[in-house]
Amino acid sequence: MKFNDEVTYQVTMGYVRKMFSTGLISRDEYRQIDTMLRDKYKPILGTLFVDLPSEQR
């Protein structure tokens, strides 16, 4: 189950990152979505890879 949660979080955040980079969502919306998904899936490894690039923070 934990592996599925990790994968779901990572894949979903990939879409969210794409939406942010194309301007479909704002930085605040990105962070809100990330927070909701972290609460729901409680990823351990996924959080290491999905933060905003430093130039976009």
Side-chain angles (χ1 to χ4, degrees):
M1 186 65 166
K2 195 64 176 164
F3 176 76
N4 289 337
D5 289 346
E6 290 283 341
V7 170
T8 301
Y9 174 78
Q10 190 67 20
V11 169
T12 305
M13 284 307 296
Y15 288 114
V16 173
R17 239 184 346 271
K18 182 73 171 174
M19 291 169 63
F20 175 72
S21 69
T22 59
L24 292 174
I25 61 173
S26 68
R27 178 181 296 120
D28 288 339
E29 290 169 321
Y30 176 96
R31 290 182 175 146
Q32 288 173 348
I33 293 167
D34 183 40
T35 298
M36 288 187 302
L37 292 175
R38 285 182 196 215
D39 288 345
K40 181 175 181 175
Y41 295 110
K42 302 193 184 339
I44 295 170
L45 300 175
T47 57
L48 299 173
F49 306 108
V50 297
D51 200 14
L52 288 172
S54 59
E55 68 274 2
Q56 294 178 340
R57 288 185 187 151

